[in-house]
Amino acid sequence: MKQSGGPMYQRLRQDLLARIRRGEFTPGSLLPSENQLCKQYGVSVTTARRAFLELVKEGVVQRKAGVGTMVAPIVRHARLSFLSIDYEGDAWRRTPSAMGEIVSGIGAASWQRDASFSMTGVGSDEAVGYLRRLAEERTVDGVLIRAADDIGEKHLKVLENTRPGVRSTTASLMSARFRETRPRRRARLRSLTSYRVGHVPMQSTRP
Amino acid sequence: MKQSGGPMYQRLRQDLLARIRRGEFTPGSLLPSENQLCKQYGVSVTTARRAFLELVKEGVVQRKAGVGTMVAPIVRHARLSFLSIDYEGDAWRRTPSAMGEIVSGIGAASWQRDASFSMTGVGSDEAVGYLRRLAEERTVDGVLIRAADDIGEKHLKVLENTRPGVRSTTASLMSARFRETRPRRRARLRSLTSYRVGHVPMQSTRP
DNA sequence: GTTTATTTGTACGAACAATTT
DNA sequence: AAAATTGTTCGTACAAATAAA
């Protein structure tokens, strides 16, 4: 927990998130206070607070003065989020925060019954890196990624392997791929390719 | 700038955002450094930094060590964002961060050609407060809000008056209202009401 | 009802590393 | 090599809100 890469506040955030996902802290229950966290992890209040604030921004936890920090009591899972990635030129390199927006968008998706996002200006390597984190960390049950052909199969493969429920495909192969893997959704997904922005209707899941 | 309400870092953020929106800082240009901001506004580095970091999270600015903080060079405006608000019981009160998710979602919308969001668990007063801020601060050209009937006309009226381009309506009156105000969009919007999650196709606007 | 302790919210200052010019 | 800027981490202080004694 100490030596691994990245800033401490990120590793702390990651660890807390993992513990929540494992069920160590259930929705509605209180997390350790800032002071407790400082002792447990050997960090300063600043660092502990920053990790918490990140999770607040993502909607994972809620804080109240005088009470503490608790796991968000109601989490609605988007059954599937659809990302349509059309990247043009090197726009991505000039706007690296773009993928961060996707990530926060997917965070919002956990409060939605349905989710649909479209991004432009996204490059391959950075995109896959972010999406990989996304699939590992977020509360979505699955992420369907439709990318431009030149993003490349190998990158999308990496993403698929990170977590079950993640399906990816290049634009031209989309309907074919899904005909193989999920035959029952064929009709719906084929019509989806005619959307400029994909949208996958989903049933809502209640807690 | 000093006496008004709210935390200083929020007021600073708001002021910087206003100056960017007014064109005082153009896309790609550098904002004042942290030190300069401290002197100009009479705040500590911590506060100046926090205001900047908020704007980074929203995708308004980008920072690079050794260079500075610049206005995001490419901003794609969503011509219209569609918010469908169906609130159930008092779920909102238990999850106040929900509307914050909408706000961040709309932030993402500025990077999208199209945008579609759906929220559950949203109450009236808090929702309108957030949405008002949203209409005032964000880069979307318009926000179409479809709300449950019991959110009330008066609240939505408040929102409409904050900024041109914002259109709101209760669910049952939706097609009727838009038949009056925007006759050319009638067909599109009427079919939209049959979606569980609204989606308004839009042309992309390039800088 | 008051007081006290705990917890988070805001704000300040400082130090050092990493990056860029 | 040096200066400027942001990134991370530390520590502190006080205010505000809450809960318990």
Side-chain angles (χ1 to χ4, degrees):
Chain A
M1 186 65 208
K2 282 285 178 53
Q3 345 281 11
S4 57
M8 192 58 203
Y9 74 93
Q10 286 286 6
R11 304 210 300 273
L12 216 180
R13 168 195 162 279
Q14 176 71 33
D15 192 61
L16 288 172
L17 193 52
R19 292 170 71 181
I20 293 173
R21 297 282 176 261
R22 284 200 303 265
E24 185 172 341
F25 306 109
T26 58
S29 69
L30 285 178
L31 292 164
S33 71
E34 293 178 355
N35 275 334
Q36 292 172 334
L37 222 59
C38 292
K39 291 167 190 166
Q40 292 177 15
Y41 287 86
V43 297
S44 70
V45 197
T46 313
T47 304
R49 175 182 302 273
R50 184 159 185 183
F52 270 150
L53 292 185
E54 297 277 330
L55 293 174
V56 168
K57 281 246 172 191
E58 297 164 15
V60 177
V61 304
Q62 301 170 3
R63 317 185 82 204
K64 224 175 357 175
V67 182
T69 305
M70 76 172 176
V71 182
I74 298 179
V75 178
R76 301 179 192 282
H77 288 261
R79 289 266 303 278
L80 191 65
S81 296
F82 176 62
L83 293 181
S84 175
I85 304 179
D86 305 311
Y87 93 94
E88 340 172 70
D90 61 344
W92 155 255
R93 312 205 174 275
R94 282 172 291 147
T95 59
S97 73
M99 279 308 295
E101 299 286 356
I102 278 192
V103 174
S104 65
I106 292 294
S110 60
W111 297 93
Q112 299 173 350
R113 293 182 181 171
D114 304 64
S116 169
F117 301 95
S118 175
M119 288 294 304
T120 58
V122 171
S124 58
D125 289 339
E126 295 91 340
V128 170
Y130 271 108
L131 291 172
R132 184 172 203 166
R133 272 183 44 201
L134 169 76
E136 288 169 350
E137 300 177 3
R138 295 289 171 165
T139 354
V140 291
D141 294 334
V143 180
L144 168 61
I145 297 167
R146 175 188 174 279
D149 288 349
D150 49 359
I151 284 187
E153 289 278 331
K154 71 169 166 39
H155 290 116
L156 296 177
K157 273 296 178 194
V158 168
L159 185 60
E160 283 187 27
N161 293 335
T162 56
R163 185 173 160 173
V166 177
R167 293 279 180 272
S168 65
T169 175
T170 56
S172 61
L173 298 177
M174 186 167 207
S175 52
R177 287 279 297 272
F178 271 83
R179 199 173 297 128
E180 300 169 13
T181 54
R182 307 181 72 159
R184 278 154 54 196
R185 299 238 176 175
R186 175 175 37 156
R188 171 178 289 172
L189 283 166
R190 195 156 44 190
S191 72
L192 186 148
T193 59
S194 64
Y195 282 60
R196 271 210 310 121
V197 171
H199 177 252
V200 180
M202 291 166 283
Q203 289 77 26
S204 65
T205 56
R206 303 298 175 78
Chain B
M1 188 65 208
K2 284 284 179 53
Q3 344 282 10
S4 58
M8 191 59 203
Y9 75 93
Q10 285 287 5
R11 304 210 299 274
L12 215 180
R13 168 195 162 279
Q14 175 71 31
D15 192 60
L16 288 172
L17 192 53
R19 293 170 71 181
I20 293 173
R21 297 285 176 259
R22 283 199 304 266
E24 185 171 339
F25 305 109
T26 59
S29 69
L30 285 179
L31 292 165
S33 72
E34 292 177 356
N35 276 333
Q36 291 173 334
L37 222 59
C38 293
K39 290 167 190 166
Q40 292 176 15
Y41 286 87
V43 297
S44 69
V45 196
T46 313
T47 304
R49 174 182 303 273
R50 185 160 183 183
F52 270 150
L53 292 185
E54 297 276 331
L55 292 175
V56 168
K57 280 248 171 190
E58 297 164 17
V60 177
V61 303
Q62 301 170 4
R63 317 185 82 205
K64 226 177 352 177
V67 181
T69 305
M70 77 171 173
V71 181
I74 298 179
V75 177
R76 300 179 193 283
H77 288 261
R79 288 266 303 278
L80 191 64
S81 295
F82 177 61
L83 293 181
S84 175
I85 305 179
D86 307 309
Y87 94 93
E88 339 174 70
D90 63 343
W92 156 255
R93 314 203 173 277
R94 281 173 291 147
T95 59
S97 73
M99 279 309 293
E101 299 285 357
I102 278 192
V103 174
S104 65
I106 292 295
S110 60
W111 297 93
Q112 299 173 349
R113 293 181 181 172
D114 305 65
S116 169
F117 300 95
S118 174
M119 288 295 305
T120 58
V122 171
S124 58
D125 288 339
E126 294 91 339
V128 171
Y130 271 109
L131 291 172
R132 184 171 203 166
R133 272 183 43 203
L134 168 75
E136 288 169 351
E137 301 175 5
R138 294 290 171 165
T139 353
V140 291
D141 294 334
V143 180
L144 168 62
I145 297 169
R146 175 188 174 279
D149 290 348
D150 50 358
I151 284 188
E153 289 278 330
K154 70 168 165 39
H155 290 118
L156 296 176
K157 273 295 176 191
V158 169
L159 186 60
E160 284 189 25
N161 293 334
T162 56
R163 184 173 161 173
V166 177
R167 294 278 181 273
S168 64
T169 175
T170 57
S172 60
L173 298 177
M174 187 167 206
S175 51
R177 286 280 297 273
F178 271 83
R179 199 173 298 128
E180 299 169 14
T181 55
R182 307 182 69 161
R184 280 155 52 195
R185 297 237 177 175
R186 176 175 36 158
R188 170 177 291 171
L189 284 165
R190 196 156 44 191
S191 72
L192 184 149
T193 59
S194 65
Y195 281 61
R196 272 211 310 118
V197 170
H199 177 253
V200 180
M202 290 165 284
Q203 289 76 27
S204 65
T205 56
R206 303 298 175 78

